[in-house]
Structure formats: C-alpha cells, structure tokens
Amino acid sequence: KQWYQRRVAITAGVIGGDARPQWMKSLSQSVAKWLEIVPKKPLEQLKRTVENIKDPLYRFFERECTIGRKLLKTVLTDLNDVALVCDLKKKKVPTATLR
C-alpha cells in the first residue's frame, strides 16, 4: 500500500503532497456527498400474510422493495469502492467492476 502511494507520488512529480489528478479529487468529493445522501439502512421487508399474498398490489410492492434493496446494496458497494480508489486506499485495477 505504501509502495503504491509512493510510486503514484513519484510518477506525478509530487512527493509529500497530494499526487491525485484533479478529476480524482473532484470525484472523491462527489462520492462523499452521495454517501451522505444515500440511505445506509436497507428497506424493511413487507410482512407476508395469507391475505396479503392474494393482493396483486401487495405482490407488486414486495417485488419493487426486493429490487430496491438489491440495488441499494449494489450502489453502496460501488460508491465505497470508488471512494477507496480515489483515496488511494484501494489499488486501481483495470477490471470491469472498478471501471
């Protein structure tokens, strides 16, 4: 980790300063703002009863809530990964996931 940070600093020509490019600093600020806005707590599951299952509107909302929970988990994971890359705590790896 330290070796990687030192190499980035030397490559950028800055030793002892912030070696990140401007776009990375800007992205880091945007990610921090998004992490403040996005809820950390997942949506609660709807309570199933025999009567609820018969209602098509209930089934629709249950599906939507399930999709929302999965999407929120993905968004939080991705935002945290981008934050770590921008703070040079996670090595930039040219994988499809981090691109």
Side-chain angles (χ1 to χ4, degrees), residues 3-84:
W3 174 84
Y4 176 71
Q5 290 174 341
R6 182 178 171 95
R7 180 175 174 132
V8 169
I10 291 170
T11 304
V14 178
I15 297 179
D18 192 356
R20 299 178 301 164
Q22 185 60 38
W23 65 266
M24 192 178 279
K25 293 175 191 176
S26 176
L27 180 61
S28 180
Q29 292 171 354
S30 295
V31 168
K33 288 178 186 174
W34 275 106
L35 283 171
E36 289 175 9
I37 296 170
V38 176
K40 309 287 185 280
K41 201 174 186 183
L43 300 171
E44 292 183 23
Q45 284 188 327
L46 299 176
K47 295 185 181 185
R48 281 185 165 197
T49 64
V50 175
E51 292 299 315
N52 287 347
I53 300 289
K54 295 176 184 176
D55 185 4
L57 190 57
Y58 169 82
R59 292 192 308 266
F60 165 76
F61 280 124
E62 185 182 38
R63 277 193 305 271
E64 292 298 312
C65 288
T66 302
I67 292 169
R69 272 192 301 280
K70 289 178 184 178
L71 180 60
L72 180 61
K73 182 180 176 185
T74 302
V75 167
L76 284 173
T77 301
D78 290 349
L79 281 173
N80 285 318
D81 282 346
V82 170
L84 290 173

